[in-house]
Amino acid sequence: MIWKLASLAAIALAGSTDTSGRIPEPQSTGAPDRISYVGTGNGWTGGRTEWWIDRSGRGAYSTTIRVEAGGTFNAGPEGFERIRVILQPLEDMRELPCDGAVTDQGTGALNWRASDRETSLRFDFGCNFRHPDAARMRLRQASELVQQWATAK
C-alpha cells in the first residue's frame, strides 16, 4: 500500500525524481515525435475517443462518447509542448496501481512515439483507487485541451 501511495504522490507532484518504488524504464533521449490516445466509453454508453498531436502541433480529435464531435487542428510546437508538459510525469510509467475494477467501465491507452520506439500506458477507468487519481486528471486535462483546439470554430 505504501508503494501505491508513493506512486500516486510522484504523479501528483510531477517531480522528476521517481519515489514510487517502481522500476523505471530507461529515460527517453528527448521529446516524443507524437503523443496519442485511444479510449472507449463504458459498457452502457459505448463510443470511442481518439486524439493525436505531433511535434509540429498538428493533430486530430474525434469522439462518439455522449456526442459525436471532432476535427483537426494546428496548435504549433507550443501546443505540443503544453500537452507534453501535462503528460510528462506519465511518460515512463507502464502501469497504474488498481485495487480491483468494475468490469463494465471504459479503457484507454496513452502512447508516446519517438523515432522507432513507442511506449504506452493503459488506463482502466473502472479501477478502484483508494486515493485521488492524478494520472486520470492529467489525461483529462490533455484531452480537454486537444478537444478545444479541434472543435474551435
Side-chain angles (χ1 to χ4, degrees):
M1 182 167 138
I2 192 75
W3 295 117
K4 291 177 185 175
L5 283 169
S7 179
L8 290 173
I11 294 168
L13 294 174
S16 59
T17 304
D18 183 357
T19 61
S20 67
R22 66 180 170 78
I23 299 171
E25 299 251 338
Q27 293 292 323
S28 59
T29 57
D33 299 321
R34 179 177 162 132
I35 302 170
S36 61
Y37 173 75
V38 176
T40 62
N42 66 35
W44 299 97
T45 61
R48 183 178 177 97
T49 296
E50 298 182 47
W51 60 261
W52 63 270
I53 184 169
D54 67 18
R55 190 181 288 204
S56 74
R58 290 176 297 139
Y61 169 87
S62 67
T63 189
T64 58
I65 298 175
R66 294 189 196 98
V67 296
E68 197 165 322
T72 60
F73 60 89
N74 188 343
E78 314 79 36
F80 176 80
E81 192 57 30
R82 283 180 68 186
I83 297 297
R84 180 158 189 244
V85 166
I86 293 167
L87 298 172
Q88 196 166 21
L90 309 177
E91 279 185 24
D92 293 320
M93 294 188 77
R94 298 298 156 253
E95 184 178 331
L96 295 172
C98 183
D99 293 334
V102 176
T103 59
D104 65 351
Q105 297 302 300
T107 60
L110 187 57
N111 302 290
W112 293 265
R113 187 181 73 202
S115 301
D116 61 349
R117 185 181 87 130
E118 188 164 331
T119 57
S120 295
L121 176 60
R122 185 178 177 281
F123 285 80
D124 181 339
F125 297 109
C127 277
N128 298 320
F129 293 103
R130 294 181 185 168
H131 306 286
D133 186 357
R136 271 200 281 198
M137 289 187 310
R138 288 185 176 280
L139 174 61
R140 183 180 307 120
Q141 185 180 4
S143 294
E144 287 173 356
L145 188 54
V146 167
Q147 179 185 21
Q148 287 172 10
W149 291 332
T151 59
K153 300 295 176 199

